[in-house]
Amino acid sequence: MSTLALAFDLGGTELRGALVERSGDVAARVSAPTLAGAGSEAVIGQIIALADRLLKEHPQAKVIGIGMCAPGPLDPKAGIVIGPPTLAGWHNVPLIDILSRQFGLPVRLENDANAAALGEWRFGAGRGAGSLVFVTVSTGIGGGVVADGHIYHGRRGLAAEIGHMTITGEGDRCFCGNVGCFEAVASGTALGRRATRLTKPGDNSLLRRLSNDGDVSARHVVEAARAGDATARELVEAEARWLGIGFTNLLHLYSPDLIVMGGGLANGFDLLAPGIRATVDERAMQAYRDVPIVPAELGDRAGLVGAASLILWEGEPGTALAMVQDEETKAGGLSGAREASHG
Ligand SMILES: [Zn+2]
């Protein structure tokens, strides 16, 4: 049996767990609706229960550590979940301490956007790149930056909060309190809101028919644009322009080898790509214009496999795998972990 990591992706609505192989392949998956309103102890209980289930169902698995991602803000080095807005009752929870005491395994923690960036970089659309920016566009906008082969953390691990960079001076107020945040104008929520304002219940527009005369969502806009609806096409064009403006800033700031776009709105990537590209060509300085902008490949597995790579990634000093190998070298043994690295 090859070397595996236990991985968890703690979201505000769903808690996902998996056994992940060093190739990034997911050997087993479990999930449960997150008890997001019940406080940290209840949710940690869920994590432990899912972990026990995975370990019980796969007794032969050689698990060498636990990689975990959770919503920010969190401190990856200290292993502390500081206080995510989507999880009630989490205040400075020392998650690494708690889980490593429970399981006697090394535990690593990363915020969910950074973990997804790592996943796409190690196993998905960004394989082989030295630097990349991962942008997830769905309800909000988040991201992670891999710079010169490492996640860029910044002070307290708070770098790359790209959804809240100011890209205009107008529009709806962001939940953070500012006006003009990238997220406030370019998220799926913002796109749905624009579509809702442009139409009315009962107006017989395709957008309202798709939404059964309720609020129009980004998904409805993409669907209507695919069907050739003129209003939806204009909305997609405007959305692509906002994304292109934000991506241009990211190119200028981080000079990545590529930008990877994930999140729900990546389902409409083919429709958005020409407008994004045109905006980047118009606004970016010459030297940045040839950088590829590509859709994510891993979907909702990106965070899980990225979290697992914190444990499994070979060659990174200080990872659990490197420590296991060090101990084996000292002991003169040749274990499954080492054999797996040759096969
Ligand atoms: Zn904001």
Side-chain angles (χ1 to χ4, degrees):
M1 189 73 192
S2 63
T3 304
L4 298 162
L6 256 176
F8 287 96
D9 181 349
L10 169 56
T13 53
E14 196 180 21
L15 169 64
R16 302 193 191 105
L19 285 170
V20 181
E21 296 174 18
R22 291 170 71 189
S23 58
D25 291 335
V26 174
R29 266 181 93 141
V30 289
S31 67
T34 309
L35 299 172
S40 62
E41 270 180 43
V43 177
I44 290 168
Q46 289 188 290
I47 295 170
I48 291 169
L50 289 183
D52 285 342
R53 197 170 123 201
L54 281 168
L55 294 172
K56 201 168 282 172
E57 287 172 2
H58 301 271
Q60 78 285 26
K62 183 178 168 57
V63 174
I64 61 164
I66 302 173
M68 169 101 215
C69 67
L74 60 76
D75 185 332
K77 287 193 188 97
I80 289 169
V81 179
I82 296 170
T86 49
L87 296 171
W90 286 65
H91 302 292
N92 296 317
V93 176
L95 194 57
I96 285 188
D97 273 3
I98 294 168
L99 293 179
S100 57
R101 255 186 280 127
Q102 176 75 27
F103 291 99
L105 287 169
V107 181
R108 296 278 299 271
L109 177 68
E110 188 51 89
N111 86 51
D112 41 19
N114 282 353
L118 274 175
E120 290 289 344
W121 177 53
R122 294 296 297 167
F123 308 114
R127 279 189 310 277
S131 300
L132 71 78
V133 177
F134 171 77
V135 186
T136 170
V137 186
S138 51
T139 313
I141 292 182
V145 173
V146 174
D148 301 327
H150 295 278
I151 276 285
Y152 175 50
H153 279 124
R155 181 182 151 270
R156 298 182 72 200
L158 299 177
E161 194 61 75
I162 64 178
H164 301 280
M165 63 181 175
T166 302
I167 64 164
T168 178
E170 47 203 70
D172 293 312
R173 198 164 285 279
C174 184
F175 88 87
C176 78
N178 287 331
V179 164
C181 293
F182 189 24
E183 170 171 307
V185 295
S187 63
T189 307
L191 173 58
R193 204 188 299 128
R194 279 197 293 279
T196 301
R197 282 180 191 158
L198 266 181
T199 54
K200 277 200 280 292
D203 67 5
N204 205 33
S205 62
L206 180 56
L207 289 167
R208 288 292 179 164
R209 277 182 278 142
L210 289 171
S211 69
N212 291 320
D213 276 339
D215 284 354
V216 183
S217 72
R219 190 170 51 82
H220 300 134
V221 177
V222 168
E223 198 178 335
R226 266 192 215 295
D229 181 74
T231 309
R233 294 226 154 197
E234 277 167 34
L235 285 162
V236 165
E237 212 170 286
E239 172 68 20
R241 188 165 177 77
W242 285 122
L243 290 172
I245 291 172
F247 290 1
T248 299
N249 288 348
L250 297 172
L251 293 172
H252 287 154
L253 283 171
Y254 298 112
S255 191
D257 294 311
L258 79 167
I259 290 178
V260 179
M261 179 175 150
L265 209 53
N267 292 329
F269 185 84
D270 56 318
L271 299 175
L272 293 160
I276 292 172
R277 181 47 66 189
T279 305
V280 168
D281 284 349
E282 178 193 314
R283 304 183 72 101
M285 289 190 282
Q286 185 75 43
Y288 301 85
R289 286 182 203 161
D290 57 350
V291 176
I293 298 169
V294 303
E297 288 180 3
L298 301 180
D300 70 356
R301 311 200 294 292
L304 273 176
V305 300
S309 81
L310 296 168
I311 295 292
L312 294 168
W313 183 30
E314 300 168 73
E316 167 89 326
T319 59
L321 179 62
M323 286 186 268
V324 166
Q325 289 182 336
D326 278 355
E327 277 168 32
E328 282 163 2
T329 308
K330 274 180 222 148
L334 192 67
S335 80
R338 185 133 288 220
E339 281 155 23
S341 73
H342 297 294

